[in-house]
Amino acid sequence: SQTIHQWPATLVQPVGSPLSLECTVEGTSNPNLYWYRQAAGRGLQLLFYSVGIGQISSEVPQNLSASRPQDRQFILSSKKLLLSDSGFYLCAWSPTSGHQETQYFGPGTRLLVL
Amino acid sequence: AQSVTQPDIHITVSEGASLELRCNYSYGATPYLFWYVQSPGQGLQLLLKYFSGDTLVQGIKGFEAEFKRSQSSFNLRKPSVHWSDAAEYFCAVRFSGTYKYIFGTGTRLKVLA
């Protein structure tokens, strides 16, 4: 079966510091991968999605970037964190085979920028 | 722009009462519809999904949802709510031919004992 991992689970970082959040998927090949941010008490904001290695689509211009160095690895980065980057970051994957694609979520990373 | 609306931000029901959470989506190509549940500090768990066929779909934990194309709606229902159902519920849509999933802003369910 497929599983999705995110780490770290919790992160406290000072303003201006760099960021690297990692997401990996096991048990599938060539998944579509997604990064979302969920601010406190708010819905999900799609940040990036990727339909293949090296293919990244950005939804919202901001202080973050994403990379997909391997088929099942998706990394969210920042060179300098802002206070507004605090939130709950969720990685998700969906299969690419067949039209009944469903999105599955990881456990999330809670980021607090101080 | 394509969107999903969950008009109820908070809903409170008594344990054992019935529940209906509303979801409407903006018109687009063939919609694929989903409901997810999120407990505090956790990721989203898929409750049920609709792609085609029977418009009444069954999910986990006793939930069901009905797709009404004429109303662009996909409301979630449960006949008898349990205290463990207290969580936040998200409706989502993906239109055919796209990779993006569009989420509603969520409905927070509180269950009274």
Side-chain angles (χ1 to χ4, degrees):
Chain A
S1 64
Q2 301 85 11
T3 55
I4 178 169
H5 303 279
Q6 285 187 247
W7 62 88
T10 304
L11 191 60
V12 181
Q13 291 285 97
V15 169
S17 63
L19 173 73
S20 181
L21 303 181
E22 189 164 344
C23 171
T24 58
V25 182
E26 296 178 352
T28 188
S29 297
N30 194 32
N32 295 328
L33 296 171
Y34 306 80
W35 277 113
Y36 292 88
R37 176 168 60 201
Q38 188 176 27
R42 302 177 69 176
L44 279 73
Q45 179 187 31
L46 178 62
L47 302 175
F48 302 94
Y49 67 96
S50 171
V51 300
I53 294 176
Q55 299 179 58
I56 309 292
S57 296
S58 175
E59 286 298 298
V60 182
Q62 55 197 319
N63 188 39
L64 301 169
S65 62
S67 62
R68 184 171 178 173
Q70 299 181 43
D71 180 43
R72 292 169 290 173
Q73 184 184 32
F74 205 23
I75 296 174
L76 183 69
S77 303
S78 174
K79 292 182 179 178
K80 289 185 178 181
L81 283 169
L82 306 172
L83 288 174
S84 58
D85 291 322
S86 293
F88 192 49
Y89 288 83
L90 289 159
C91 181
W93 75 276
S94 68
T96 53
S97 59
H99 72 283
Q100 293 200 0
E101 299 164 12
T102 300
Q103 198 169 60
Y104 300 94
F105 284 82
T109 294
R110 185 159 304 282
L111 172 66
L112 179 60
V113 182
L114 300 176
Chain B
Q2 297 167 338
S3 63
V4 173
T5 301
Q6 292 180 247
D8 304 305
I9 298 175
H10 297 280
I11 283 186
T12 300
V13 299
S14 298
E15 190 170 20
S18 63
L19 173 70
E20 182 170 30
L21 302 183
R22 296 182 290 165
C23 173
N24 293 90
Y25 63 92
S26 62
Y27 177 78
T30 301
Y32 303 132
L33 296 154
F34 309 85
W35 275 100
Y36 290 85
V37 60
Q38 184 182 34
S39 298
Q42 305 295 316
L44 275 68
Q45 180 184 20
L46 180 70
L47 282 176
L48 46 76
K49 56 189 176 183
Y50 171 80
F51 290 97
S52 63
D54 191 349
T55 56
L56 184 64
V57 295
Q58 303 297 320
I60 62 172
K61 304 185 180 187
F63 285 92
E64 67 178 25
E66 186 172 12
F67 172 53
K68 294 185 177 180
R69 184 180 298 274
S70 62
Q71 299 177 21
S72 298
S73 69
F74 188 55
N75 294 347
L76 182 72
R77 301 194 294 248
K78 186 169 185 178
S80 178
V81 170
H82 188 263
W83 64 266
S84 60
D85 294 324
E88 189 153 21
Y89 293 79
F90 291 93
C91 179
V93 65
R94 179 175 64 83
F95 293 104
S96 62
T98 70
Y99 298 108
K100 290 170 55 177
Y101 292 72
I102 303 167
F103 283 80
T105 51
T107 296
R108 185 170 298 277
L109 174 66
K110 182 177 180 180
V111 180
L112 301 177

